Amino acid sequence: MAFNKLRNNVSQVNRGTAIGVCADLFMSHLKDFIREIRACKTAAEEREVVARESADIRTSFKDMKCKTRDRNMAKLLFIHLLGYPAYFGQVETVNLIASSKFHEKRLGYLALMVLLDEQQDLLMLLPNTMKTDMASPSNFMTALALVALGNIGNSEMIRDLSSELEKCFRHSHAYIRKKATLCAVRAIRKDPDVADQYAPKSPQYDQLVPTAVRALKSLLLSNYSSQHDVAGITDPFLQIKLLQVMRVLGRGNKAASDLMNDVLAQVATNTDHRKNAGTAVLYECVQTVLSIEAEPVRMCADICVCCVFVCRKEGGVFVCYRKNAGTAVLYECVQTVLSIEAEPALRVLAVNILMRFLARNDNNTRYVALNLLSKVVTLDKPTVQRHKKIIVDCLNDPDISIRRRALELTYALVDATNCRHLVTEMVDYLGRADAEFKTDLTRKICIACEKYAPSKKWQLDTIIKVLSTAGSYVRDDIPSALVLLISQTPTLHLYAAQRLYAALYQATHARVAAVAGAAAPAVSGGKQEEQQPPEETLTQVAIWALGEYGDLLPTEPFELNPHAEGEPQVAVGPAELVGLLEQIIRLPLTTAPTRAYALTALTKLSGRFTDAPVLARITDLIAAYRTDITVELQQRACEYGAVLGASAGVLRQALVKRMPVPDLTCPLTRNTEEDENSFIEQFSEQFSE
Amino acid sequence: MIHFVLLQNRQGKTRLAKYYAVYDDEDKRYLESEVFRLIVSRPKEYTHFVEFRNIKLIYRRYAGLYFIIGCDINDNELAFLEVIHLFVETLDEYFGNVCELDLVFNFYKVYAIADEIFMGGEIQETSRTVVLNRLAEIEREE
């Protein structure tokens, strides 16, 4: 329909309705200017024209007697629309609004809404003019002021004008009353305290229920009205609003809910779901049914009948839904959600249908289906559970909106029985996920592990994997959760040390190779140095673990890569361990904090090992940093040097002892700030002990 | 609640920008280009909804023009999809088989139409006839 002939047919544009000589002149000037801009061949040329015109406009604004203010303002608005600065016109908007001519006033209000926002001080100049306009006998003036107030009014403005606004509630024109109400909505949104001023004194909301029900019913039963009809549905927008209102009124209110049951069932059964507008209404209807205390048996009986009917008889709908996207599917979702309290067999059937749609290749419907499913999942996990494969497959959809929904749903599905499978899927997905998802995803994986992991060992493996795949995206609480997990589980000490040694070994060797590679062609070097290397977090946790539990390593040989077949087992002695740490310290890409961790780890290890050559090497390594340019490292090296020195004596053994096990819960499952404070307090208490 | 209504062409030129939430000027420019980049890269068969910052964009493309609404995450997506259509139908009826040039040369009228349909982030009027009659009345008043 519209816009199908986008030809540069300028002459076609000149068909505006003629409204007086003045307006004609105004329009022809504006059009000439727009034409001039459009005729520019290059951006530089356009900038030049705009700069010249802006200068002219600016001068003309200074001249209070200028007769062409309206025209200049219109040009300025166009300039602003193109993305050029137009702040110098802000004061002029106030002048235009104060004008007695209607078209100037109208343009002034328009400019006000475009050029200013509610935070600007300039708005303080307005209330007096607006007061006069709102009280004006002409409802056009009143409307202009109300629109401005409703769109950019801040709470002070609305307070200043509240008495005029209240008068507008009783205006003879319904059009004005509607605008005034929307202004009040804005006022309440800005400042909930003023709600009393505009709402009835004592809440008699129950009385509204029959009104809403009646209104909705009349919409459903009304004959075709061309004014409000959207795809055969009478004013779906109003229906949606009414359903939303009913949701608020019916929540936790049995009597009100009973009144609504009938009309909700009517909406559910009579709305034509093959049209977008219909599905929108149904979508709202389901949400309402879900949140009020609807009478489950009767509602669901209706719905189930419907559902079966649709499945059997209208099988064709499923095939042709592509044409009117977002139709049958959503209806099915609706059915599904509704039938949650129905017979289990039917419920399964409904979810099955939903899943069939989800597996198909369409767009909006799938999105809404996933959206609704994540609501279903909180009420009925097992049924959705059976189809987790399809949902997990949606993680690979090319459309980011679908991926996001699928991810949320996958997370919601995780429980103790399927943790192993779903979390593995999520970790797999982590590798190819969009960067913006990763932080959130790593957190979700770790929380899921914390809650449902089948074993601590598995949890440890998973978190290590998360850190090695998306180390630079994790927030601080994940490494601390890992550290906590290791230190609180004594049986895992050796295993953790082994796995982290392996991870560190591989990461370090990869980096050594990268450094060697970058030195030769020097192609990818620049970008890597800017970012923190992805395994930084993992490196730090590993270094910590090796410092604490590294002495356990020599007790048992292990495989560096447990997943590869036939990997020879390696025995890691004190010399290898210290060698690896040394390698990390010496790598040019290692950051100062990591080096500091490594120095601490070395100091700790010095208390556990007794080989003289190893101890000598540690002492040398630490001594080398006494003159480092980083103050932090220098200080640590000096302090640790003193600890290692002979003078420390007995004190040394106490200092390099294992950290006491912190008596804390996982930082991921705690979330309030209060807890964070107590975390610090607890730590400081432990240190003071 | 609607945070903004945007109208952009395929080159990313903004033809209408109506903000109901507070953004400063620089942020508006940035947001417009960010929204454009996000939407223009989505193939036709993708959903018409995409999450953006902490809001949701509902968009529809008519020939070379994108109509975009930024709304709260919990709002009814399909309803806003219909509102966009209502807006386009109103424009079409007002200009008579509307094309992009109509909107460029009469941008202030487009703003006026938008002000009749939306207000303060809510849908104000859902009847095309009422909107068009009102506009005719205002023009007579001028």
Side-chain angles (χ1 to χ4, degrees):
Chain A
M1 43 158 286
F3 302 110
N4 48 3
K5 34 176 205 86
L6 268 175
R7 281 163 284 131
N8 277 11
N9 189 353
V10 181
S11 63
Q12 197 194 4
V13 179
N14 290 328
R15 68 169 114 81
T17 38
I19 14 169
V21 185
C22 165
D24 258 355
L25 213 74
F26 162 83
M27 276 196 305
S28 72
H29 272 273
L30 179 62
K31 278 181 181 157
D32 285 344
F33 173 60
I34 297 177
R35 260 186 222 119
E36 196 180 348
I37 295 261
R38 287 179 59 85
C40 293
K41 296 268 186 315
T42 59
E45 209 178 315
E46 185 184 294
R47 271 198 297 276
E48 204 180 302
V49 175
V50 169
R52 179 164 44 79
E53 198 65 39
S54 298
D56 284 353
I57 294 172
R58 216 175 173 143
T59 335
S60 81
F61 282 165
K62 280 182 195 142
D63 176 15
M64 285 309 282
K65 285 188 214 111
C66 181
K67 289 273 193 296
T68 56
R69 283 188 299 177
D70 53 341
R71 173 190 318 168
N72 288 332
M73 182 53 87
K75 285 182 192 167
L76 185 65
L77 288 182
F78 189 74
I79 291 175
H80 182 259
L81 204 56
L82 291 174
Y84 295 95
Y87 54 88
F88 55 84
Q90 290 177 349
V91 179
E92 189 62 19
T93 59
V94 183
N95 293 338
L96 275 174
I97 289 172
S99 161
S100 55
K101 292 182 196 135
F102 180 67
H103 77 273
E104 285 194 353
K105 195 182 272 294
R106 192 173 162 215
L107 199 68
Y109 275 117
L110 169 64
L112 177 79
M113 287 184 282
V114 175
L115 297 181
L116 277 84
D117 61 59
E118 62 171 278
Q119 289 167 334
Q120 255 129 22
D121 296 337
L122 205 63
L123 291 185
M124 289 191 305
L125 299 174
L126 282 170
N128 274 331
T129 327
M130 285 176 75
K131 220 171 245 181
T132 336
D133 286 346
M134 278 167 87
S136 152
S138 151
N139 69 55
F140 295 101
M141 300 265 193
T142 317
L144 280 179
L146 281 174
V147 170
L149 187 65
N151 283 345
I152 64 160
N154 52 28
S155 37
E156 283 122 66
M157 250 168 108
I158 299 176
R159 206 179 319 123
D160 287 348
L161 295 168
S162 62
S163 63
E164 275 72 21
L165 189 56
E166 270 175 69
K167 267 176 220 145
C168 289
F169 281 128
R170 295 186 296 275
H171 201 279
S172 59
H173 225 290
Y175 176 80
I176 299 291
R177 290 201 297 271
K178 197 190 242 178
K179 282 194 177 351
T181 318
L182 283 168
C183 284
V185 170
R186 185 183 177 93
I188 295 170
R189 225 176 237 153
K190 294 276 158 221
D191 181 8
D193 294 341
V194 302
D196 299 342
Q197 202 175 337
Y198 300 110
K201 289 291 170 281
S202 58
Q204 295 161 321
Y205 295 120
D206 281 353
Q207 291 175 3
L208 289 174
V209 179
T211 319
V213 169
R214 227 176 305 130
L216 190 54
K217 214 170 242 170
S218 71
L219 277 176
L220 288 175
L221 298 175
S222 71
N223 293 325
Y224 175 81
S225 104
S226 64
Q227 266 199 33
H228 292 99
D229 183 78
V230 178
I233 295 157
T234 314
D235 208 342
F237 308 108
L238 184 55
Q239 291 196 24
I240 286 166
K241 273 286 167 224
L242 282 169
L243 286 165
Q244 284 169 352
V245 168
M246 286 166 118
R247 205 182 306 160
V248 176
L249 294 175
R251 194 168 286 145
N253 186 339
K254 191 79 182 74
S257 302
D258 285 347
L259 283 172
M260 294 171 195
N261 271 336
D262 256 353
V263 75
L264 285 177
Q266 260 176 18
V267 173
T269 45
N270 292 349
T271 308
D272 181 5
H273 54 84
R274 273 164 297 182
K275 293 280 159 38
N276 185 13
T279 44
V281 172
L282 286 168
Y283 182 57
E284 215 55 61
C285 177
V286 173
Q287 296 208 344
T288 310
V289 173
L290 278 176
S291 59
I292 69 165
E293 298 186 0
E295 198 180 293
V297 186
R298 207 164 101 235
M299 287 296 296
C300 293
D302 278 351
I303 297 312
C304 293
V305 168
C306 226
C307 184
V308 174
F309 177 75
V310 172
C311 305
R312 292 209 187 121
K313 280 196 146 184
E314 292 193 15
V317 175
F318 303 155
V319 185
C320 68
Y321 75 93
R322 247 172 247 268
K323 282 181 198 154
N324 36 38
T327 51
V329 185
L330 185 65
Y331 190 52
E332 296 318 310
C333 307
V334 167
Q335 313 289 18
T336 313
V337 184
L338 276 174
S339 36
I340 280 166
E341 290 174 42
E343 284 177 48
L346 277 174
R347 191 198 300 153
V348 173
L349 176 70
V351 177
N352 282 345
I353 296 164
L354 193 61
M355 290 303 167
R356 272 222 316 267
F357 287 116
L358 212 51
R360 293 201 186 184
N361 257 345
D362 71 322
N363 44 24
N364 299 357
T365 42
R366 211 143 56 120
Y367 176 87
V368 192
L370 283 170
N371 223 352
L372 271 181
L373 267 178
S374 42
K375 283 182 185 126
V376 178
V377 81
T378 51
L379 298 163
D380 183 26
K381 225 176 194 175
T383 323
V384 186
Q385 197 79 264
R386 241 167 278 154
H387 303 272
K388 55 180 183 272
K389 190 170 175 306
I390 295 176
I391 297 167
V392 170
D393 280 348
C394 283
L395 286 177
N396 295 326
D397 197 275
D399 188 344
I400 191 171
S401 301
I402 299 224
R403 284 203 301 274
R404 199 187 292 264
R405 291 278 144 248
L407 192 60
E408 264 169 37
L409 193 53
T410 313
Y411 173 63
L413 275 181
V414 177
D415 64 21
T417 54
N418 57 17
C419 180
R420 218 176 257 272
H421 171 217
L422 283 184
V423 171
T424 317
E425 284 288 349
M426 281 160 87
V427 174
D428 271 357
Y429 176 61
L430 185 61
R432 47 204 154 84
D434 311 61
E436 56 174 311
F437 286 178
K438 282 189 174 169
T439 307
D440 195 36
L441 186 56
T442 50
R443 200 178 147 77
K444 280 184 171 161
I445 292 175
C446 295
I447 294 178
C449 282
E450 183 66 33
K451 279 191 194 154
Y452 306 113
S455 71
K456 295 272 185 201
K457 193 171 158 190
W458 184 84
Q459 186 183 355
L460 179 81
D461 277 338
T462 310
I463 301 185
I464 292 179
K465 197 146 179 227
V466 166
L467 286 179
S468 54
T469 344
S472 53
Y473 295 96
V474 298
R475 292 227 313 249
D476 286 350
D477 45 4
I478 293 178
S480 51
L482 179 57
V483 165
L484 201 63
L485 171 74
I486 298 173
S487 58
Q488 282 178 341
T489 326
T491 46
L492 270 185
H493 288 171
L494 173 61
Y495 181 73
Q498 287 174 345
R499 290 278 56 87
L500 285 167
Y501 178 85
L504 194 58
Y505 182 85
Q506 277 155 0
T508 313
H509 279 255
R511 264 213 257 175
V512 170
V515 169
V523 181
S524 61
K527 207 177 176 188
Q528 265 188 336
E529 272 166 331
E530 283 169 23
Q531 287 177 335
Q532 203 187 28
E535 64 275 18
E536 190 71 25
T537 331
L538 180 65
T539 309
Q540 289 175 358
V541 176
I543 290 174
W544 173 85
L546 291 178
E548 291 294 323
Y549 310 111
D551 54 316
L552 301 173
L553 281 179
T555 54
E556 189 182 296
F558 61 96
E559 288 155 357
L560 280 181
N561 185 355
H563 303 295
E565 298 261 325
E567 183 87 6
Q569 293 199 326
V570 292
V572 177
E576 281 85 2
L577 184 52
V578 175
L580 181 62
L581 290 174
E582 182 179 354
Q583 221 172 7
I584 292 167
I585 291 189
R586 293 206 190 284
L587 265 179
L589 284 180
T590 308
T591 57
T594 310
R595 286 209 174 101
Y597 275 106
L599 290 183
T600 315
L602 283 170
T603 316
K604 289 234 168 191
L605 287 176
S606 73
R608 321 270 162 78
F609 293 138
T610 45
D611 304 4
V614 172
L615 289 179
R617 209 158 138 205
I618 292 177
T619 323
D620 285 350
L621 260 175
I622 290 176
Y625 278 90
R626 284 172 175 242
T627 53
D628 196 86
I629 46 165
T630 317
V631 181
E632 170 71 17
L633 288 183
Q634 205 185 84
Q635 187 186 355
R636 278 188 195 231
C638 291
E639 285 169 5
Y640 295 158
V643 171
L644 291 176
S647 55
V650 199
L651 194 60
R652 190 173 91 191
Q653 279 312 320
L655 278 172
V656 300
K657 217 165 57 172
R658 262 188 206 148
M659 281 284 278
V661 178
D663 180 24
L664 293 171
T665 49
C666 175
L668 290 169
T669 37
R670 284 181 294 127
N671 41 16
T672 56
E673 255 178 60
E674 202 182 83
D675 282 338
E676 256 169 42
N677 288 337
S678 68
F679 174 76
I680 297 166
E681 273 164 31
Q682 283 185 29
F683 243 107
S684 48
E685 269 169 34
Q686 272 176 1
F687 273 114
S688 59
E689 267 168 20
Chain B
M1 175 194 160
I2 302 172
H3 290 240
F4 52 79
V5 178
L6 279 182
L7 216 159
Q8 295 178 319
N9 72 3
R10 252 153 78 188
Q11 284 75 47
K13 284 227 160 77
T14 305
R15 294 304 185 204
L16 168 94
K18 195 87 201 146
Y19 290 90
Y20 300 101
V22 186
Y23 295 95
D24 59 39
D25 255 8
E26 200 180 327
D27 201 24
K28 281 180 191 169
R29 297 269 159 268
Y30 192 66
L31 179 137
E32 281 162 27
S33 67
E34 221 178 324
V35 165
F36 174 70
R37 259 180 285 131
L38 184 65
I39 282 177
V40 84
S41 63
R42 289 171 64 82
K44 236 190 190 147
E45 60 277 8
Y46 279 19
T47 57
H48 292 115
F49 325 128
V50 61
E51 271 145 76
F52 167 76
R53 301 196 189 170
N54 53 353
I55 55 176
K56 187 151 41 183
L57 303 177
I58 316 290
Y59 66 95
R60 235 173 151 155
R61 184 176 150 184
Y62 291 86
L65 279 176
Y66 290 98
F67 286 75
I68 305 151
I69 285 182
C71 63
D72 284 335
I73 291 278
N74 296 327
D75 285 338
N76 190 325
E77 305 91 358
L78 297 166
F80 283 123
L81 212 54
E82 283 305 318
V83 173
I84 293 178
H85 192 65
L86 175 81
F87 185 37
V88 173
E89 277 184 327
T90 316
L91 288 174
D92 197 40
E93 214 167 313
Y94 181 79
F95 288 106
N97 205 357
V98 66
C99 70
E100 189 183 344
L101 279 180
D102 290 332
L103 307 185
V104 175
F105 282 93
N106 297 296
F107 68 91
Y108 54 97
K109 290 186 183 164
V110 182
Y111 272 107
I113 296 174
D115 277 340
E116 291 301 321
I117 297 181
F118 308 103
M119 185 177 150
E122 297 292 336
I123 302 167
Q124 179 191 192
E125 183 52 64
T126 57
S127 158
R128 285 199 306 280
T129 328
V130 172
V131 172
L132 293 170
N133 287 346
R134 181 75 194 174
L135 286 165
E137 277 174 37
I138 293 175
E139 271 166 21
R140 268 202 299 280
E141 180 78 14
E142 275 188 346

